[in-house]
Amino acid sequence: MVPPLEPADSATATLANQRSILLRNRSSGLKHAAPWCDRNAGDEPLRLLKACPRYAPTDLISLPRAAERLGLGELWIKDETQRLGIGSFKGLGGAYAVLKLAMQHVERRTGRAILPAELMEPGVRAMLSELTFSCASDGNHGRSVSAGARLIGARAVVYLHQGVSDERAAHISRLGAQFERVSGDYHDSVEAAAKAASQAGWIAVPDTVGPGEDATACTLVVQGYSILTDEIVAATTGQQKPFTHVLVQAGVGGLAASVFGHGWARGLFGPDTHLWVVEPERSACLYESARAKMPVRLPTGPATNMSMLECQSPSLLAWPIIEDLTTGYITVSDEEAADAVRLLNEGMSGDPRVCVGESGAAGLAGLLRAAKEKDRKTLGLDQCAKVLLFATEGPTDVSVWSGNK
């Protein structure tokens, strides 16, 4: 059982604005079972999300010139900036959870199993119009839940903390959802969303789980991300050399847990692969949890430009998988994230351009940070390295986007 969150001590709070690489030895294997760690975990999400008109696999892009510049063998980036018209990997999780929960609702009402296509039939949509789905979000998860609800004719209410910009709120409104403002930080909005859903009888679709909370819907969210890993497996079929390094940026840790856990099940990487989590140095809850050897909750600190990663505590659903499989934690500064945005947006050394937001560029920022280490051999960053990164999202706050500077 995962222990409850503990407040970070005062020494932890002083680590803000310090750049860090924390290396860990991986355990003997995956000790904790999770539905998305099953080899076939992505099949059901794919079956449902194919009902979305804009579903298509996203690109896995080779960056050979950047690899040469960094002294690496190969460098690849999974481009999620076009995902489902939402522009983020989050489009997979929230939308899938909404569709799956909607199907379960209809099946309980009718007493029979239904097919995904039936969600679009008038009689079924009349049933679904009675439902309200709710969540908290920094922006992209809310868009995914809203898009899923809109597709089936249901209602969505998204809780946004005070740090979420009006621009991100507008993206949600355009999908027909209602949003509610909450004082405080992301986790205050999570608590407000859960309370409102409980009182109003709504269906909560969180992307994080706290102590004692029902993990059913959040498990579906993380399972939806399995599609992303399956697409990488399909795109790399026939390649002889496996990935030696996989860097995943993290907020509460859902994507990292999915990529590491499902990637392990699909054989995307082996026991020697470096699996690294990258976080903003101002909001490094997974780094601090690894250091404390238990999940901790950080105090609210200064805002970071990697706003989609600005979370104060790990998801207790994701943490056991991350703890089992992660071999390194890297924190990066706002300046490093902004530099990575510009490098990808301009096309590193003539490589294809990738238009990302600061959160989406954090993985590259982490790689650049690690590449500056004097003893790179310890990290395995040499000409034999084959590195996988994720462009997790496009620009969300264009007015303050580093690509404009």
PDB file of all heavy atoms in Angstrom, residues 313-337:
ATOM      1  N   SER A 313       2.727  17.544  -5.315  1.00  0.00           N
ATOM      2  CA  SER A 313       2.853  16.188  -4.788  1.00  0.00           C
ATOM      3  C   SER A 313       2.571  15.172  -5.879  1.00  0.00           C
ATOM      4  O   SER A 313       1.815  15.441  -6.814  1.00  0.00           O
ATOM      5  CB  SER A 313       1.894  15.981  -3.608  1.00  0.00           C
ATOM      6  OG  SER A 313       0.568  16.204  -3.996  1.00  0.00           O
ATOM      7  N   PRO A 314       3.185  13.992  -5.783  1.00  0.00           N
ATOM      8  CA  PRO A 314       2.956  12.978  -6.800  1.00  0.00           C
ATOM      9  C   PRO A 314       1.577  12.350  -6.686  1.00  0.00           C
ATOM     10  O   PRO A 314       0.965  12.352  -5.616  1.00  0.00           O
ATOM     11  CB  PRO A 314       4.046  11.931  -6.509  1.00  0.00           C
ATOM     12  CG  PRO A 314       4.451  12.149  -5.111  1.00  0.00           C
ATOM     13  CD  PRO A 314       4.147  13.565  -4.767  1.00  0.00           C
ATOM     14  N   SER A 315       1.088  11.816  -7.788  1.00  0.00           N
ATOM     15  CA  SER A 315      -0.101  10.981  -7.748  1.00  0.00           C
ATOM     16  C   SER A 315       0.265   9.677  -7.058  1.00  0.00           C
ATOM     17  O   SER A 315       1.233   9.006  -7.443  1.00  0.00           O
ATOM     18  CB  SER A 315      -0.608  10.693  -9.157  1.00  0.00           C
ATOM     19  OG  SER A 315      -1.608   9.684  -9.134  1.00  0.00           O
ATOM     20  N   LEU A 316      -0.509   9.285  -6.061  1.00  0.00           N
ATOM     21  CA  LEU A 316      -0.211   8.039  -5.354  1.00  0.00           C
ATOM     22  C   LEU A 316      -0.513   6.818  -6.209  1.00  0.00           C
ATOM     23  O   LEU A 316      -0.101   5.710  -5.869  1.00  0.00           O
ATOM     24  CB  LEU A 316      -0.995   7.986  -4.038  1.00  0.00           C
ATOM     25  CG  LEU A 316      -0.658   9.087  -3.024  1.00  0.00           C
ATOM     26  CD1 LEU A 316      -1.329   8.813  -1.689  1.00  0.00           C
ATOM     27  CD2 LEU A 316       0.845   9.229  -2.842  1.00  0.00           C
ATOM     28  N   LEU A 317      -1.215   7.019  -7.313  1.00  0.00           N
ATOM     29  CA  LEU A 317      -1.415   5.937  -8.278  1.00  0.00           C
ATOM     30  C   LEU A 317      -0.154   5.712  -9.095  1.00  0.00           C
ATOM     31  O   LEU A 317       0.240   4.576  -9.375  1.00  0.00           O
ATOM     32  CB  LEU A 317      -2.583   6.284  -9.198  1.00  0.00           C
ATOM     33  CG  LEU A 317      -2.930   5.265 -10.286  1.00  0.00           C
ATOM     34  CD1 LEU A 317      -3.441   3.973  -9.670  1.00  0.00           C
ATOM     35  CD2 LEU A 317      -3.977   5.857 -11.237  1.00  0.00           C
ATOM     36  N   ALA A 318       0.505   6.800  -9.488  1.00  0.00           N
ATOM     37  CA  ALA A 318       1.690   6.714 -10.347  1.00  0.00           C
ATOM     38  C   ALA A 318       2.968   6.420  -9.565  1.00  0.00           C
ATOM     39  O   ALA A 318       3.896   5.778 -10.086  1.00  0.00           O
ATOM     40  CB  ALA A 318       1.854   8.021 -11.123  1.00  0.00           C
ATOM     41  N   TRP A 319       3.047   6.894  -8.338  1.00  0.00           N
ATOM     42  CA  TRP A 319       4.301   6.858  -7.599  1.00  0.00           C
ATOM     43  C   TRP A 319       4.935   5.467  -7.476  1.00  0.00           C
ATOM     44  O   TRP A 319       6.143   5.321  -7.677  1.00  0.00           O
ATOM     45  CB  TRP A 319       4.128   7.488  -6.212  1.00  0.00           C
ATOM     46  CG  TRP A 319       5.337   7.305  -5.343  1.00  0.00           C
ATOM     47  CD1 TRP A 319       5.444   6.528  -4.222  1.00  0.00           C
ATOM     48  CD2 TRP A 319       6.641   7.869  -5.553  1.00  0.00           C
ATOM     49  NE1 TRP A 319       6.724   6.578  -3.719  1.00  0.00           N
ATOM     50  CE2 TRP A 319       7.469   7.391  -4.511  1.00  0.00           C
ATOM     51  CE3 TRP A 319       7.166   8.716  -6.517  1.00  0.00           C
ATOM     52  CZ2 TRP A 319       8.814   7.752  -4.416  1.00  0.00           C
ATOM     53  CZ3 TRP A 319       8.504   9.079  -6.412  1.00  0.00           C
ATOM     54  CH2 TRP A 319       9.311   8.598  -5.379  1.00  0.00           C
ATOM     55  N   PRO A 320       4.189   4.389  -7.153  1.00  0.00           N
ATOM     56  CA  PRO A 320       4.844   3.089  -7.011  1.00  0.00           C
ATOM     57  C   PRO A 320       5.572   2.628  -8.268  1.00  0.00           C
ATOM     58  O   PRO A 320       6.649   2.019  -8.187  1.00  0.00           O
ATOM     59  CB  PRO A 320       3.690   2.144  -6.657  1.00  0.00           C
ATOM     60  CG  PRO A 320       2.660   3.023  -6.045  1.00  0.00           C
ATOM     61  CD  PRO A 320       2.755   4.314  -6.802  1.00  0.00           C
ATOM     62  N   ILE A 321       5.005   2.912  -9.440  1.00  0.00           N
ATOM     63  CA  ILE A 321       5.647   2.513 -10.698  1.00  0.00           C
ATOM     64  C   ILE A 321       6.899   3.347 -10.924  1.00  0.00           C
ATOM     65  O   ILE A 321       7.955   2.833 -11.328  1.00  0.00           O
ATOM     66  CB  ILE A 321       4.672   2.680 -11.883  1.00  0.00           C
ATOM     67  CG1 ILE A 321       3.345   1.971 -11.596  1.00  0.00           C
ATOM     68  CG2 ILE A 321       5.312   2.169 -13.174  1.00  0.00           C
ATOM     69  CD1 ILE A 321       3.459   0.495 -11.330  1.00  0.00           C
ATOM     70  N   ILE A 322       6.795   4.638 -10.673  1.00  0.00           N
ATOM     71  CA  ILE A 322       7.956   5.520 -10.826  1.00  0.00           C
ATOM     72  C   ILE A 322       9.066   5.104  -9.871  1.00  0.00           C
ATOM     73  O   ILE A 322      10.240   5.035 -10.255  1.00  0.00           O
ATOM     74  CB  ILE A 322       7.532   6.984 -10.586  1.00  0.00           C
ATOM     75  CG1 ILE A 322       6.607   7.450 -11.720  1.00  0.00           C
ATOM     76  CG2 ILE A 322       8.745   7.902 -10.481  1.00  0.00           C
ATOM     77  CD1 ILE A 322       6.000   8.798 -11.502  1.00  0.00           C
ATOM     78  N   GLU A 323       8.701   4.800  -8.647  1.00  0.00           N
ATOM     79  CA  GLU A 323       9.697   4.397  -7.658  1.00  0.00           C
ATOM     80  C   GLU A 323      10.398   3.109  -8.069  1.00  0.00           C
ATOM     81  O   GLU A 323      11.606   2.948  -7.881  1.00  0.00           O
ATOM     82  CB  GLU A 323       9.033   4.232  -6.294  1.00  0.00           C
ATOM     83  CG  GLU A 323      10.007   3.951  -5.155  1.00  0.00           C
ATOM     84  CD  GLU A 323       9.308   3.819  -3.831  1.00  0.00           C
ATOM     85  OE1 GLU A 323       8.151   3.326  -3.793  1.00  0.00           O
ATOM     86  OE2 GLU A 323       9.906   4.197  -2.815  1.00  0.00           O
ATOM     87  N   ASP A 324       9.654   2.177  -8.660  1.00  0.00           N
ATOM     88  CA  ASP A 324      10.231   0.905  -9.082  1.00  0.00           C
ATOM     89  C   ASP A 324      11.214   1.057 -10.237  1.00  0.00           C
ATOM     90  O   ASP A 324      12.256   0.394 -10.272  1.00  0.00           O
ATOM     91  CB  ASP A 324       9.124  -0.065  -9.527  1.00  0.00           C
ATOM     92  CG  ASP A 324       8.456  -0.782  -8.378  1.00  0.00           C
ATOM     93  OD1 ASP A 324       8.916  -0.618  -7.228  1.00  0.00           O
ATOM     94  OD2 ASP A 324       7.472  -1.499  -8.628  1.00  0.00           O
ATOM     95  N   LEU A 325      10.876   1.892 -11.216  1.00  0.00           N
ATOM     96  CA  LEU A 325      11.571   1.855 -12.502  1.00  0.00           C
ATOM     97  C   LEU A 325      12.491   3.034 -12.786  1.00  0.00           C
ATOM     98  O   LEU A 325      13.407   2.910 -13.610  1.00  0.00           O
ATOM     99  CB  LEU A 325      10.546   1.739 -13.639  1.00  0.00           C
ATOM    100  CG  LEU A 325       9.701   0.461 -13.649  1.00  0.00           C
ATOM    101  CD1 LEU A 325       8.716   0.484 -14.810  1.00  0.00           C
ATOM    102  CD2 LEU A 325      10.580  -0.781 -13.729  1.00  0.00           C
ATOM    103  N   THR A 326      12.273   4.171 -12.160  1.00  0.00           N
ATOM    104  CA  THR A 326      13.076   5.357 -12.482  1.00  0.00           C
ATOM    105  C   THR A 326      14.510   5.202 -11.988  1.00  0.00           C
ATOM    106  O   THR A 326      14.749   4.787 -10.856  1.00  0.00           O
ATOM    107  CB  THR A 326      12.456   6.611 -11.855  1.00  0.00           C
ATOM    108  OG1 THR A 326      11.105   6.736 -12.313  1.00  0.00           O
ATOM    109  CG2 THR A 326      13.225   7.862 -12.252  1.00  0.00           C
ATOM    110  N   THR A 327      15.466   5.547 -12.854  1.00  0.00           N
ATOM    111  CA  THR A 327      16.884   5.467 -12.478  1.00  0.00           C
ATOM    112  C   THR A 327      17.511   6.838 -12.265  1.00  0.00           C
ATOM    113  O   THR A 327      18.649   6.926 -11.810  1.00  0.00           O
ATOM    114  CB  THR A 327      17.694   4.713 -13.548  1.00  0.00           C
ATOM    115  OG1 THR A 327      17.600   5.415 -14.790  1.00  0.00           O
ATOM    116  CG2 THR A 327      17.172   3.299 -13.733  1.00  0.00           C
ATOM    117  N   GLY A 328      16.799   7.909 -12.607  1.00  0.00           N
ATOM    118  CA  GLY A 328      17.359   9.239 -12.415  1.00  0.00           C
ATOM    119  C   GLY A 328      16.295  10.314 -12.423  1.00  0.00           C
ATOM    120  O   GLY A 328      15.261  10.186 -13.096  1.00  0.00           O
ATOM    121  N   TYR A 329      16.528  11.355 -11.640  1.00  0.00           N
ATOM    122  CA  TYR A 329      15.639  12.516 -11.564  1.00  0.00           C
ATOM    123  C   TYR A 329      16.469  13.754 -11.883  1.00  0.00           C
ATOM    124  O   TYR A 329      17.531  13.963 -11.299  1.00  0.00           O
ATOM    125  CB  TYR A 329      15.032  12.645 -10.172  1.00  0.00           C
ATOM    126  CG  TYR A 329      14.187  11.462  -9.760  1.00  0.00           C
ATOM    127  CD1 TYR A 329      14.776  10.295  -9.277  1.00  0.00           C
ATOM    128  CD2 TYR A 329      12.797  11.496  -9.867  1.00  0.00           C
ATOM    129  CE1 TYR A 329      14.015   9.202  -8.899  1.00  0.00           C
ATOM    130  CE2 TYR A 329      12.018  10.406  -9.490  1.00  0.00           C
ATOM    131  CZ  TYR A 329      12.637   9.262  -9.009  1.00  0.00           C
ATOM    132  OH  TYR A 329      11.874   8.175  -8.645  1.00  0.00           O
ATOM    133  N   ILE A 330      15.981  14.567 -12.808  1.00  0.00           N
ATOM    134  CA  ILE A 330      16.694  15.771 -13.225  1.00  0.00           C
ATOM    135  C   ILE A 330      15.775  16.962 -13.038  1.00  0.00           C
ATOM    136  O   ILE A 330      14.601  16.920 -13.437  1.00  0.00           O
ATOM    137  CB  ILE A 330      17.119  15.686 -14.700  1.00  0.00           C
ATOM    138  CG1 ILE A 330      17.987  14.446 -14.952  1.00  0.00           C
ATOM    139  CG2 ILE A 330      17.867  16.951 -15.128  1.00  0.00           C
ATOM    140  CD1 ILE A 330      18.314  14.215 -16.414  1.00  0.00           C
ATOM    141  N   THR A 331      16.275  18.039 -12.425  1.00  0.00           N
ATOM    142  CA  THR A 331      15.497  19.269 -12.345  1.00  0.00           C
ATOM    143  C   THR A 331      16.119  20.310 -13.264  1.00  0.00           C
ATOM    144  O   THR A 331      17.333  20.360 -13.440  1.00  0.00           O
ATOM    145  CB  THR A 331      15.436  19.806 -10.908  1.00  0.00           C
ATOM    146  OG1 THR A 331      16.740  20.168 -10.468  1.00  0.00           O
ATOM    147  CG2 THR A 331      14.848  18.766  -9.968  1.00  0.00           C
ATOM    148  N   VAL A 332      15.259  21.132 -13.861  1.00  0.00           N
ATOM    149  CA  VAL A 332      15.717  22.151 -14.804  1.00  0.00           C
ATOM    150  C   VAL A 332      15.112  23.500 -14.449  1.00  0.00           C
ATOM    151  O   VAL A 332      14.027  23.587 -13.863  1.00  0.00           O
ATOM    152  CB  VAL A 332      15.357  21.779 -16.264  1.00  0.00           C
ATOM    153  CG1 VAL A 332      16.088  20.517 -16.689  1.00  0.00           C
ATOM    154  CG2 VAL A 332      13.856  21.592 -16.436  1.00  0.00           C
ATOM    155  N   SER A 333      15.818  24.545 -14.824  1.00  0.00           N
ATOM    156  CA  SER A 333      15.376  25.908 -14.532  1.00  0.00           C
ATOM    157  C   SER A 333      14.432  26.411 -15.619  1.00  0.00           C
ATOM    158  O   SER A 333      14.349  25.852 -16.724  1.00  0.00           O
ATOM    159  CB  SER A 333      16.583  26.834 -14.441  1.00  0.00           C
ATOM    160  OG  SER A 333      17.182  26.981 -15.724  1.00  0.00           O
ATOM    161  N   ASP A 334      13.745  27.502 -15.317  1.00  0.00           N
ATOM    162  CA  ASP A 334      12.896  28.142 -16.317  1.00  0.00           C
ATOM    163  C   ASP A 334      13.713  28.586 -17.527  1.00  0.00           C
ATOM    164  O   ASP A 334      13.253  28.497 -18.669  1.00  0.00           O
ATOM    165  CB  ASP A 334      12.188  29.355 -15.708  1.00  0.00           C
ATOM    166  CG  ASP A 334      10.991  28.959 -14.846  1.00  0.00           C
ATOM    167  OD1 ASP A 334      10.941  27.799 -14.389  1.00  0.00           O
ATOM    168  OD2 ASP A 334      10.120  29.810 -14.631  1.00  0.00           O
ATOM    169  N   GLU A 335      14.918  29.068 -17.269  1.00  0.00           N
ATOM    170  CA  GLU A 335      15.781  29.526 -18.364  1.00  0.00           C
ATOM    171  C   GLU A 335      16.170  28.365 -19.270  1.00  0.00           C
ATOM    172  O   GLU A 335      16.195  28.502 -20.507  1.00  0.00           O
ATOM    173  CB  GLU A 335      17.025  30.199 -17.792  1.00  0.00           C
ATOM    174  CG  GLU A 335      16.772  31.516 -17.068  1.00  0.00           C
ATOM    175  CD  GLU A 335      16.172  31.341 -15.682  1.00  0.00           C
ATOM    176  OE1 GLU A 335      16.266  30.209 -15.130  1.00  0.00           O
ATOM    177  OE2 GLU A 335      15.595  32.325 -15.139  1.00  0.00           O
ATOM    178  N   GLU A 336      16.453  27.216 -18.677  1.00  0.00           N
ATOM    179  CA  GLU A 336      16.813  26.044 -19.485  1.00  0.00           C
ATOM    180  C   GLU A 336      15.624  25.566 -20.309  1.00  0.00           C
ATOM    181  O   GLU A 336      15.789  25.149 -21.474  1.00  0.00           O
ATOM    182  CB  GLU A 336      17.326  24.938 -18.566  1.00  0.00           C
ATOM    183  CG  GLU A 336      18.713  25.235 -18.008  1.00  0.00           C
ATOM    184  CD  GLU A 336      19.121  24.288 -16.894  1.00  0.00           C
ATOM    185  OE1 GLU A 336      18.252  23.873 -16.093  1.00  0.00           O
ATOM    186  OE2 GLU A 336      20.324  23.961 -16.811  1.00  0.00           O
ATOM    187  N   ALA A 337      14.427  25.627 -19.746  1.00  0.00           N
ATOM    188  CA  ALA A 337      13.239  25.247 -20.503  1.00  0.00           C
ATOM    189  C   ALA A 337      13.006  26.196 -21.668  1.00  0.00           C
ATOM    190  O   ALA A 337      12.672  25.770 -22.787  1.00  0.00           O
ATOM    191  CB  ALA A 337      12.013  25.223 -19.584  1.00  0.00           C
TER     192      ALA A 337
END
